Every structure is written in C-alpha cells, then in structure tokens.
Amino acid sequence: MNEIVFEGERLIWGNLGHLAVILSFATSICATLAWYMSVEKADESWAAIARKAFHLHTVSVLSIIGVLFYIIHQHYFEYHYAWQHSSRDLPVEYMISCFWEGQEGSFLLWIFWQMVIGNILLYTAGERVARVMSVLMLSQVALTSMLIGVEVLGYKVGSSPFELLRNAMANAPIFSQPDYLSKITDGNGLNPLLQNYWMVIHPPPLIFGLATTIVTFAFAIAAMWQRD
C-alpha cells in the first residue's frame, strides 16, 4: 500500500521543535552528570562541560517556546496542540493563554522558570554551585522527559506539543485524504472560561512560585551531600 503524501503540512517547525525538546533533555542529563562528576572528582574540567551543557540547555528551552508559540500564532492546525487550544478569532493575548492551557505548555512553562532560576544560581550559589546545579538539572531531566513523546519498549514517554493532528486522531476518516488540511479551517479554540486577562498574567507567577521550591530543596540536598 502506498504511503499517503499529505498536502500543505509545514513539518519543518514540528521537526525543529521536537529536535529542541530532545536537545533540552539530552543537555539536562549531560549537565547533571557533569556537575556530579565535578564534585566527586574535584575536577574543574567537568564543571566547564556542565556549564556549556547548561547554556545549550537554555538555548534549546527558549527554542521550544519560540517554535510552539509561532505554530499557535500562525494557526498551523496540522499540529494537535495548536488545533486543540487555539482558533483564528483569538487576539494575541489569548494566544499566549493557549500556550499554557494544555499539559505540555504548563510543563514547558515550569521548565522555563527552572531554567531561569538555574541561570541565577549559576552565579550566586557560591561554593555549592555544583551540588545545587546537579539537583536542579536532575529536576529538569524529569520535566523535559514529559515533552519527549516517544515510545520506549511499547511505553510512551511524555507527550510532545509538536504531535501532528493526524497522529493524535489517527482513526478519523478525514486523515485518509491527502488534502485533509484544506478542510480544517479553524481550531477547537480556547476554553471560554480561560478567555480572561487574568489567565494571561496568573499562570506564569503561579508556576514560578512552584518552580522556586527547587531552590530550597537543592540547597538542602547540597548541604547534606556536603555533610554540612
């Protein structure tokens, strides 16, 4: 059976976004291990590797956010997240709300805030920076894994915000047609209860508050690790 060649899909953005997710996951693992080794081996070269991995992690997280918002803003409804949470009639401020309406967007906002906190701790944690950053980046490993959306041994790890609509709803008859995208003229839209300016400004500080708990936790673990 010939594989269907779908028309009009802008796959490059999803591929870029998914690549950034994989990179953020890989660099968080690399930074965690390198910070750990810098403590155990008392070797500054491991710390240098950890810093480079963390800076690359920062770039990858910002890239995920940029690509996902672009997909939502441009109404690329071939992507399930954009179709499920946005529509063409929404003003820009509510498109921002669309970004964190879904589970994937909320995790991404949490990842973003921890990344920001990490950049602050990198220069303010003092002699415990390696231990503190080890803990913070281990948390980033857990959070970024929630966005991978790949199957490992038959088990799906995470849920990708860049999943295609035709993959998320594979059994729908419309997706047997190469030009299905021409028939999808609008998205599902933002929940009317969330179409309020408070939903634009409320979730970021709320999730920031949750993310800041990593600071006290990381310093507590670092102190026990140092037996201080």
Side-chain angles (χ1 to χ4, degrees):
M1 182 177 179
N2 293 330
E3 186 177 349
I4 300 174
V5 178
F6 295 99
E7 301 172 4
E9 292 182 334
R10 284 132 307 196
L11 300 180
I12 185 172
W13 296 106
N15 291 335
L16 285 173
H18 191 65
L19 177 63
V21 170
I22 297 297
L23 184 61
S24 68
F25 179 64
T27 51
S28 62
I29 293 175
C30 180
T32 301
L33 294 176
W35 281 124
Y36 175 81
M37 293 300 293
S38 73
V39 174
E40 294 301 304
K41 300 293 185 182
D43 188 344
E44 188 61 28
S45 63
W46 281 107
I49 294 172
R51 288 176 182 272
K52 290 177 182 177
F54 178 70
H55 290 317
L56 189 54
H57 176 76
T58 297
V59 173
S60 62
V61 170
L62 293 176
S63 298
I64 300 169
I65 293 171
V67 172
L68 183 57
F69 184 75
Y70 183 80
I71 286 173
I72 293 172
H73 185 265
Q74 295 299 311
H75 310 301
Y76 289 167
F77 296 130
E78 59 265 44
Y79 294 98
H80 184 247
Y81 199 88
W83 175 84
Q84 187 176 31
H85 300 292
S86 70
S87 58
R88 295 184 183 278
D89 61 341
L90 290 175
V92 174
E93 60 268 26
Y94 291 157
M95 288 185 192
I96 297 174
S97 297
C98 295
F99 183 91
W100 45 69
E101 183 190 24
Q103 174 181 281
E104 298 88 345
S106 296
F107 275 126
L108 184 52
L109 188 56
W110 197 330
I111 291 166
F112 168 77
W113 281 129
Q114 282 203 165
M115 176 271 292
V116 171
I117 291 168
N119 275 281
I120 296 172
L121 291 177
L122 193 62
Y123 300 101
T124 60
E127 64 177 14
R128 289 181 178 161
V129 62
R131 292 176 170 84
V132 168
M133 291 299 292
S134 293
V135 177
L136 184 140
M137 291 311 296
L138 184 59
S139 177
Q140 286 292 78
V141 172
L143 287 174
T144 52
S145 70
M146 302 295 183
L147 301 181
I148 293 179
V150 297
E151 286 195 7
V152 178
L153 301 176
Y155 179 77
K156 189 174 182 180
V157 179
S159 178
S160 173
F162 304 106
E163 183 177 21
L164 290 169
L165 182 62
R166 58 179 166 87
N167 291 336
M169 306 171 66
N171 294 327
I174 189 175
F175 299 114
S176 63
Q177 305 171 34
D179 63 340
Y180 80 90
L181 201 53
S182 64
K183 299 175 176 61
I184 299 177
T185 58
D186 206 353
N188 193 45
L190 182 67
N191 187 325
L193 295 176
L194 302 181
Q195 294 185 30
N196 184 291
Y197 68 92
W198 284 112
M199 285 309 298
V200 179
I201 60 178
H202 170 63
L206 173 67
I207 295 181
F208 175 72
L210 294 174
T212 56
T213 60
I214 192 63
V215 179
T216 50
F217 178 74
F219 272 97
I221 296 298
M224 289 190 290
W225 186 356
Q226 200 172 6
R227 299 183 179 180
D228 180 1

